[in-house]
Amino acid sequence: MLIRGKCHCGNIAFSLTWEPDPREIPARACSCSFCTKHGGVWTSNPGGALKVRVEDPSRVCRYAFGTRTADFHVCTRCGIVPVVTSRIDGRLYAVVSVNALEGCGGIAVAP
């Protein structure tokens, strides 16, 4: 299944290949102070493939705080954070915002 999402204005968009087709998409509300203030709820699929498209890179801000272990990719046009990345032991990992998902066709998002 190909799951798509984007920020409100569409400047940052993503597609996440999820195999096999999920019945539910697992979601996790982050309790860090940034996510708490933004209502951040995230999902990822370790076996999936994530592609991110940015229309105007000059309108994307990477925000990191505290331990600086994660980069929040903030659209400066609409203020939405659809993707967060983290580099661990030289490998890039990412989570996507379940609030930015579009057209999941009846798939439940499970806390």
Side-chain angles (χ1 to χ4, degrees):
M1 167 175 260
L2 186 63
I3 298 170
R4 297 181 189 277
K6 63 182 182 177
C7 66
H8 191 259
C9 71
N11 186 48
I12 304 171
F14 62 84
S15 61
L16 175 59
T17 303
W18 200 300
E19 299 294 336
D21 288 359
R23 289 188 184 155
E24 291 185 335
I25 295 173
R28 183 179 70 82
C30 182
S31 61
C32 79
S33 60
F34 186 79
C35 288
T36 298
K37 290 178 184 282
H38 280 268
V41 181
W42 310 98
T43 193
S44 64
N45 181 353
L50 177 66
K51 292 183 182 176
V52 178
R53 179 191 52 78
V54 177
E55 275 184 20
D56 183 353
S58 71
R59 292 194 176 258
V60 177
C61 172
R62 287 186 182 197
Y63 177 70
F65 69 97
T67 60
R68 301 200 182 280
T69 57
D71 286 323
F72 294 82
H73 300 265
V74 183
C75 178
T76 62
R77 185 184 299 150
C78 67
I80 303 301
V81 182
V83 178
V84 179
T85 58
S86 181
R87 190 164 296 280
I88 302 169
D89 295 330
R91 189 161 181 200
L92 187 62
Y93 295 88
V95 296
V96 297
S97 170
V98 299
N99 296 320
L101 298 180
E102 297 196 336
C104 285
I107 298 172
V109 175

